[in-house]
């Protein structure tokens, strides 16, 4: 067996972590033969709950889990880690937009950026899940200047999975028969779920999704708003934000970063923009990426029509506004 990887999950006493920790510890993310050391970060008032989670992890008797380190100290949690799942943050409640969480959550990511900078490995791979995920990831990276910007990302895989599942249900085919759905922009209601380049396997033949769906009006309207508003619908129904599906998407995101994407396929993740597809530089924008050797690369050359351009710019504008708000809060 190889050396253990050291992995931190923040918000470890919360809803998402409860599903995510099991998935990581049983090998879904880093491989079924990869030993793991888990560090679990939460805040002091949650210490008792965190200890309960530690007991349950122990009671799972997982072969890969070598050690569990619960802590309320960021520098203990991030010491020499290879991967970070930054989940810990306040979730929104019914009637809120995710950016309403900026004031409450952004300082968590400023502080954790600083701690990562000081004690984590410079190769650490960071996925930010806590909302507003894109802007939190941007701030985290800003306060960790010694770690490459490419090592920070935010979760839009849940939106991708939602979009893929909607198309599969519409066509009556398995989820695995739909690929290359794209989420552009912010993990918010301005995101642009784009299936213009997606593929579906229908009756054994691979066809472009628009050709298979045969309903442009559905793809430009109902499909779009269903995916954009899905998080809010789950909150309305559960009175809590999505947790099982968020944990699954988080695991998908890191697994693909760790092991790479398959063949010609791509996945969407929020990454630091340097201007690709005419998007402003210096925001965390969700793009289609291919991954090899733990390095992501934005898929180039996809055709962008007027409809897509407008949607992509709208969500970029929101991210620029969030960045300005976040910087103001951080400078206070
Ligand atoms: P939760 O309230 O169940 O758990 C959050 C945990 O974070 C709590 O245990 C809390 O004590 C902890 N926490 C708060 N501040 C912390 C800090 N400074 N350091 C470490 N831990 C801290 O919430 P949840 O349902 O697990 O959701 C967590 C976050 O993920 C929310 O912001 C939610 O909106 C977001 N989310 C994002 C996506 C996505 O796709 N990006 C999907 C679902 C949820
Ligand atoms: C989601 O998409 O389910 C999460 O971001 C939670 C939320 O606030 O919508």
């Amino acid at each position: 067996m190889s050396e253990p990887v050291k992995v931190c999950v923040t918000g470890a006493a919360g809803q998402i972590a409860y599903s995510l920790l099991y998935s990581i510890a049983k090998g879904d993310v880093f491989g079924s033969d990869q030993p793991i050391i888990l560090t679990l970060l939460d805040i002091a008032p949650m210490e008792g709950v965190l200890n309960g989670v530690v007991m349950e992890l122990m009671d799972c008797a997982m072969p890969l889990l070598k050690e569990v380190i619960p802590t309320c100290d960021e520098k203990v949690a991030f010491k020499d880690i290879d991967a970070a799942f930054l989940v810990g943050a306040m979730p929104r409640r019914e009637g809120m937009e995710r950016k309403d969480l900026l004031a409450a959550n952004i300082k968590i990511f400023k502080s954790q950026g600083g701690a990562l900078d000081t004690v984590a490995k410079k190769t650490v791979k960071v996925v930010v899940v806590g909302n507003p995920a894109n802007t939190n990831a941007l701030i985290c990276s800003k306060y960790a200047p010694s770690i490459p910007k490419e090592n920070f990302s935010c979760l839009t895989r849940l939106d991708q999975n939602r979009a893929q599942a909607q198309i599969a249900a519409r066509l009556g085919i398995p989820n695995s028969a739909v690929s290359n759905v794209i989420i552009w922009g912010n993990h918010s209601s301005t995101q642009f779920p784009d299936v213009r380049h997606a593929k579906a396997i229908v009756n054994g033949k691979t066809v472009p999704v628009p050709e298979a769906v045969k309903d442009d009006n559905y793809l430009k309207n109902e499909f779009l708003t269903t995916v954009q508003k899905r998080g809010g619908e789950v909150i309305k129904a559960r009175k809590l934000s999505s947790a099982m599906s968020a944990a699954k998407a988080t695991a998908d995101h890191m697994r693909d970063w760790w092991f790479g994407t398959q063949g010609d396929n791509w996945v969407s993740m929020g990454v630091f923009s340097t201007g690709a597809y005419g998007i402003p530089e210096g925001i965390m924008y969700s793009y289609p990426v291919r991954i090899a050797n733990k390095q992501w690369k934005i898929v180039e050359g996809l055709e962008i029509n007027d409809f897509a351009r407008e949607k992509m710019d709208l969500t970029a504008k929101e991210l620029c506004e969030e960045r300005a708000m976040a910087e103001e809060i951080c400078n206070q």
Side-chain angles (χ1 to χ4, degrees), residues 91-93 96 98 101 129 131 158-159 162 187 230-232 234-235 241-242 245-246:
R92 69 176 167 145
R93 303 279 174 200
M96 293 168 83
R98 296 184 187 97
L101 295 170
V129 177
N131 277 319
L158 177 54
D159 308 294
R162 286 167 172 163
H187 173 63
R230 189 68 161 187
V234 172
I235 292 172
S241 76
S242 61
S245 55

Side-chain angles (χ1 to χ4, degrees), residues 275-325:
Y277 289 97
I279 297 304
E281 286 176 32
I283 52 177
M284 279 282 171
Y285 192 89
S286 179
Y287 282 105
V289 297
R290 290 199 184 92
I291 305 168
N293 303 318
K294 298 191 174 66
Q295 309 287 325
W296 52 263
K297 217 168 162 284
I298 293 171
V299 176
E300 288 175 3
L302 297 172
E303 178 263 332
I304 305 298
N305 61 18
D306 289 349
F307 180 80
R309 185 75 262 159
E310 192 189 324
K311 300 281 178 212
M312 287 164 69
D313 289 346
L314 183 79
T315 188
K317 182 168 171 278
E318 183 182 46
L319 281 169
C320 291
E321 288 163 7
E322 282 187 20
R323 176 179 58 187
M325 280 162 62

